[in-house]
Structures are given as C-alpha cells and as structure tokens.
Amino acid sequence: MMDVNDFVKELEKILLPNRIKLFPGATSKEIEKAQSKLNIKFPKELVDVLMFSNGVDELMYIPNEDKTIVIDDVYWSVKSILNGTFEHDKYLEMIESKHKIKYLCFADNGCGEHFGYKIIDGKCDDTTIYVYYPIEDKYNKVATNFEEWAIGWYLGKIVT
C-alpha cells in the first residue's frame, strides 16, 4: 500500500526543480461529487492522492521566434478526471471498440492518449494503470499503481 506522504515527498523532489507544482488537496465532498457524477468508486490510492493534492500544474515555457509560448497543463485533478473519463467514453462511442472496457482516466500524454484505471462493475479495485490508444483502439499496462505511474511519467521512464 502506498504511503501518500512518502510518495508526495519523492514526487516533489522531481517536480519542483521543473516548475511543476502540486495543488492543495481536494475536499472529500469534491471527490464524492465526482464519484457520484461518474457513478464510479475511485481506488483508495487515488482518493488518498487527491486528498493530499488535487493535481499538479505543469508550466512550460517554449521559446518561439517572436514570443514565448506558455503551456499550462493540469494532471490528475478532480476536474481532469471528470473530463478525461468523459473524453474516453466519447472515444468508445465514436469507434466500434472491440474492448468496450471503461476506464477512469486521470491524465493524458498531450497526444490524445489517456492514462487510467480499469472500471469493473462501477469500481476500480485494481491499482494497475493503463494507457489507451484511441487510433489503434488498444490498451497497454504502464504501471502497477499510481505512485509508479507518477514518478515514472515525470522521470521519463513511461513512454507512450
């Protein structure tokens, strides 16, 4: 079982030097509202992380010829979970998916591929993290739990 405090300390060592900050935690009411709206019980590890930090803000500055482009992405917040899961469901409706598997999506890779937990009978009991490739309509396991995914993603060890 993941210790959220140890996980966050490890993650902060990676994030802070790269101008990525953790948001304050979500309230239990926000999490319960999202679970109710999606009709899904979130995995305990995700609830623990959300209570500690309602996502990360990744701020990147990309120099361009006449100006600097600013990219501000937010990952694993309650809002991004709602948006990502609805987006995944739209993909399933748009294509004739042979999988028909639903996922609780909490982040994407910036190219339309979503990371998430498999939903079975309205619950995410397994902590395995998958990436969904909508063009190929396939899923691949990328991590055994949220901690492995987050640290691996920000260290560049998880590539999609």
Side-chain angles (χ1 to χ4, degrees):
M1 180 75 59
M2 170 179 72
D3 179 305
V4 175
N5 292 319
D6 291 342
F7 160 65
V8 170
K9 286 177 190 171
E10 183 68 26
L11 194 58
E12 284 178 330
K13 287 182 205 172
I14 299 164
L15 300 179
L16 295 178
N18 295 302
R19 289 188 275 215
I20 301 171
K21 67 177 183 179
L22 294 167
F23 286 117
T27 64
S28 56
K29 188 174 183 174
E30 289 173 304
I31 296 168
E32 288 166 11
K33 188 175 177 182
Q35 290 180 114
S36 176
K37 188 170 186 172
L38 293 171
N39 197 27
I40 299 166
K41 184 173 179 351
F42 292 2
K44 182 180 178 342
E45 70 172 14
L46 182 60
V47 171
D48 290 347
V49 169
L50 288 169
M51 295 288 288
F52 195 90
S53 171
N54 191 13
V56 295
D57 185 14
E58 185 172 340
L59 191 58
M60 294 181 282
Y61 298 92
I62 302 170
N64 199 345
E65 291 174 7
D66 36 335
K67 64 180 179 179
T68 299
I69 298 170
V70 178
I71 298 174
D72 194 6
D73 287 326
V74 177
Y75 297 106
W76 91 62
S77 67
V78 170
K79 183 178 177 182
S80 67
I81 290 168
L82 286 168
N83 292 342
T85 300
F86 286 133
E87 188 72 21
H88 172 265
D89 288 350
K90 282 192 279 184
Y91 284 134
L92 288 180
E93 289 169 14
M94 284 175 15
I95 61 175
E96 193 173 318
S97 174
K98 61 183 174 262
H99 303 287
K100 298 294 184 204
I101 297 171
K102 294 205 171 221
Y103 284 79
L104 176 64
C105 303
F106 56 81
D108 66 61
N109 66 355
C111 298
E113 295 145 353
H114 291 165
F115 296 103
Y117 298 94
K118 192 180 286 188
I119 302 167
I120 299 172
D121 296 327
K123 294 183 271 186
C124 303
D125 290 332
D126 184 13
T127 60
T128 303
I129 307 296
Y130 297 87
V131 61
Y132 174 59
Y133 300 94
I135 294 171
E136 298 89 356
D137 188 27
K138 70 176 187 174
Y139 302 89
N140 285 342
K141 176 183 167 182
V142 292
T144 57
N145 58 43
F146 189 89
E147 179 178 9
E148 182 182 314
W149 171 81
I151 292 172
W153 179 249
Y154 287 106
L155 287 176
K157 293 179 179 178
I158 293 177
V159 192
T160 57

